[in-house]
Amino acid sequence: MIKHLALIVFFICAHAAHTQSGLESFLKPSQDSIKRSIFLKHLGNGYLPTKYVNFDLRYLIKYNQFEGVRSGLGGITNDAFSETYRLNSYGVYGFRDDRFKYSIGGGVRLDEKTNTWMNLSYTDDLQETGSAKFLTDGRFFQFFEPRLLNIDLFHKHITKALTFEHQPHPKLLTETEFAISNVDPTYPYGYVLNNDIISTFHFSTAVVSLQWNPFSKFETRKNKFVETKKGYPQFALQYTKSFRDVFKGNFNFSKLDFRTVYKIGDENTGASEITLVSGVTNGNTPLTHLYHAYPNNINKETVMQRFSVAGLNSFETMYFNEFFSDKFTTIQLKHYLKPFNVTERYKPQVVLITRYALGDIEKPELHQNVSFGSLKKGYTESGFEINKLFFGFGLSFTYRYGAYHLDSFTDNIAFKFTFNIAL
């Protein structure tokens, strides 16, 4: 199934790349360069703009191992609707789990100069177990998220949230969230809490997230900060506190997450990139809120049965649900060689990659009906990508070695295709 879906995605994205070229030709600068620029900017941010509503392209179609095909529609009102208020919503349907998911919300702008918004939302959806997300990442769009194809461990959640977005300085984004969540794993799992095993969880959390890009350059356009040049390093920091006995919350823990990205050079002439991600949780923390280090290898017997799409920052040889940690650090090194100038448009590029993960978990016996390993010995993989071979598609090869090298040679190999395109 995954190989068939990969082909479908291949042709869809190839068509999208062709469509983009057509759009650029249709929206000629001589006709209306300003409208063209605005349209492509919205499209690059993941939205299809209309008069009053910008439709969110993230919800059109996706695929994962639990829902199968996941399709729906989402959108948010734009400035033509109101510059002070906004409404946002989405609805999706999973064809394999036969379940409808949705979110409804809205916001009011409290201050125009600092782009300060207060938002309310109600969400009934799925979330990947062990995923660590920064709130401020919601401001950025990724055209294609290949790792989603292979995820199979999810938990249902119903979340009511109050958030505050604030940008006190062009180089600093902040987001604060107060949320109440009811969580129900879709897999057999229990957590030992106060000598009882519970399988559904209630969280009352407060989250503060910061994104700081001190070396980027910005301009003010129509009272909004617009990034004109990315600078490095970039930093993200997030603190999460879960309160027990507050709005029926039954867990008391804290989490601290950190990420930095440093890039030297330019991808068009050769560049090196270092990404460091680290997280630690303290207190009673169920599997849903631990760390999994972003694996991207499905549990199949042969290399070709595991053939799928390589992620952008995931461990390609690490099997899903193989490791979980309550403290971890990952370092990823990428070196982009100068592209091969075969023709004016055809420029394949080789990227050399090494990834390392280190982690541990204090009390694995508290997690019932699941089995997983620890990363305390250090996990290493290296490989390369040949990108942009055809319509943004390429190939990757990665090899697993070191302390977690497996007995069978082929079990340490990941061979996949890549997808890189920017609108």
Side-chain angles (χ1 to χ4, degrees):
M1 178 64 183
I2 192 70
K3 287 192 287 187
H4 290 108
L5 180 76
L7 290 173
I8 294 173
V9 172
F10 178 90
F11 287 115
I12 289 176
C13 295
H15 177 70
H18 177 74
T19 301
Q20 177 200 357
S21 177
L23 283 170
E24 290 180 354
S25 298
F26 178 74
L27 297 170
K28 294 181 180 179
S30 59
Q31 294 177 353
D32 197 337
S33 60
I34 296 177
K35 286 186 177 181
R36 172 184 175 274
S37 176
I38 293 174
F39 179 86
L40 291 178
K41 180 181 177 182
H42 279 297
L43 201 62
N45 289 330
Y47 293 98
L48 180 66
T50 63
K51 185 174 183 179
Y52 296 114
V53 177
N54 294 342
F55 289 100
D56 197 327
L57 302 178
R58 290 176 296 176
Y59 302 106
L60 285 179
I61 185 166
K62 290 184 179 181
Y63 180 91
N64 60 66
Q65 298 294 311
F66 180 78
E67 295 175 285
V69 175
R70 171 185 168 108
S71 182
L73 190 64
I76 184 171
T77 57
N78 53 38
D79 288 348
F81 175 84
S82 174
E83 295 184 359
T84 306
Y85 303 95
R86 65 187 180 195
L87 300 173
N88 57 279
S89 180
Y90 71 82
V92 296
Y93 182 77
F95 287 85
R96 178 174 293 173
D97 67 336
D98 192 25
R99 182 169 172 263
F100 181 73
K101 299 96 179 173
Y102 66 94
S103 178
I104 54 175
V108 56
R109 188 168 65 187
L110 304 180
D111 184 70
E112 182 179 9
K113 184 177 180 180
T114 58
N115 196 28
T116 302
W117 289 80
M118 179 179 70
N119 309 294
L120 285 170
S121 65
Y122 180 95
T123 303
D124 183 349
D125 204 345
L126 296 174
Q127 184 172 335
E128 182 192 1
T129 288
S131 58
K133 297 181 179 180
F134 292 83
L135 291 181
T136 50
D137 287 351
R139 312 275 191 98
F140 306 100
F141 172 69
Q142 186 175 307
F143 179 70
F144 179 49
E145 302 172 78
R147 187 177 167 275
L148 292 178
L149 297 171
N150 298 326
I151 300 172
D152 63 351
L153 208 63
F154 291 90
H155 52 268
K156 302 175 186 176
H157 73 97
I158 296 177
T159 300
K160 305 167 189 174
L162 170 66
T163 63
F164 293 90
E165 302 173 20
H166 184 56
Q167 194 169 3
H169 189 274
K171 301 180 180 183
L172 180 63
L173 287 171
T174 72
E175 191 160 340
T176 303
E177 178 188 80
F178 303 95
I180 302 170
S181 299
N182 295 325
V183 171
D184 184 12
T186 61
Y187 47 93
Y189 172 72
Y191 183 81
V192 179
L193 183 66
N194 298 327
N195 298 319
D196 289 328
I197 299 177
I198 60 175
S199 57
T200 57
F201 317 125
H202 307 286
F203 300 98
S204 297
T205 57
V207 183
V208 178
S209 188
L210 309 174
Q211 174 70 41
W212 184 40
N213 300 341
F215 300 100
S216 293
K217 294 183 179 180
F218 294 81
E219 292 181 359
T220 303
R221 299 175 185 172
K222 295 183 179 180
N223 296 321
K224 293 182 179 180
F225 301 127
V226 179
E227 186 178 39
T228 57
K229 183 179 180 181
K230 287 185 179 295
Y232 296 93
Q234 300 180 348
F235 305 93
L237 182 68
Q238 182 165 285
Y239 177 74
T240 303
K241 177 62 180 177
S242 178
F243 301 95
R244 186 178 179 184
D245 296 329
V246 175
F247 296 107
K248 299 181 179 180
N250 49 16
F251 287 93
N252 185 40
F253 64 83
S254 59
K255 296 179 67 175
L256 184 64
D257 300 292
F258 173 76
R259 179 184 64 209
T260 183
V261 180
Y262 186 50
K263 194 170 186 178
I264 305 171
D266 186 276
E267 289 185 19
N268 295 322
T269 57
S272 295
E273 181 179 286
I274 302 174
T275 302
L276 184 147
V277 180
S278 185
V280 58
T281 178
N282 181 39
N284 292 310
T285 312
L287 194 71
T288 55
H289 287 62
L290 293 183
Y291 303 103
H292 59 27
Y294 289 89
N296 192 33
N297 207 13
I298 54 179
N299 295 289
K300 300 290 185 179
E301 185 175 354
T302 68
V303 173
M304 294 313 298
Q305 285 177 331
R306 298 192 297 269
F307 183 83
S308 60
V309 191
L312 299 180
N313 291 292
S314 52
F315 283 75
E316 302 305 325
T317 62
M318 185 184 294
Y319 292 91
F320 277 90
N321 316 322
E322 186 178 2
F323 302 99
F324 284 95
S325 308
D326 55 22
K327 58 184 73 67
F328 87 115
T329 297
T330 66
I331 299 176
Q332 302 196 39
L333 309 175
K334 293 184 178 182
H335 181 67
Y336 298 81
L337 300 181
K338 184 178 180 180
F340 297 98
N341 292 315
V342 180
T343 68
E344 183 66 26
R345 291 181 174 271
Y346 185 60
K347 298 180 179 181
Q349 185 175 33
V350 174
V351 183
L352 307 178
I353 299 172
T354 291
R355 302 184 179 96
Y356 180 79
L358 182 67
D360 202 359
I361 185 166
E362 282 192 13
K363 297 180 179 180
E365 67 275 7
L366 297 180
H367 306 275
Q368 302 291 302
N369 303 322
V370 293
S371 60
F372 53 85
S374 165
L375 287 168
K376 61 184 178 182
K377 296 180 181 180
Y379 186 102
T380 313
E381 69 174 27
S382 294
F384 63 89
E385 297 176 352
I386 306 177
N387 294 325
K388 303 175 184 177
L389 290 173
F390 181 69
F391 285 117
F393 287 87
L395 295 171
S396 79
F397 177 88
T398 317
Y399 185 72
R400 167 178 177 160
Y401 59 97
Y404 294 101
H405 182 270
L406 301 175
D407 293 336
S408 174
F409 175 77
T410 57
D411 288 344
N412 297 286
I413 294 174
F415 177 60
K416 304 176 183 181
F417 69 74
T418 64
F419 181 73
N420 293 272
I421 191 170
L423 292 179

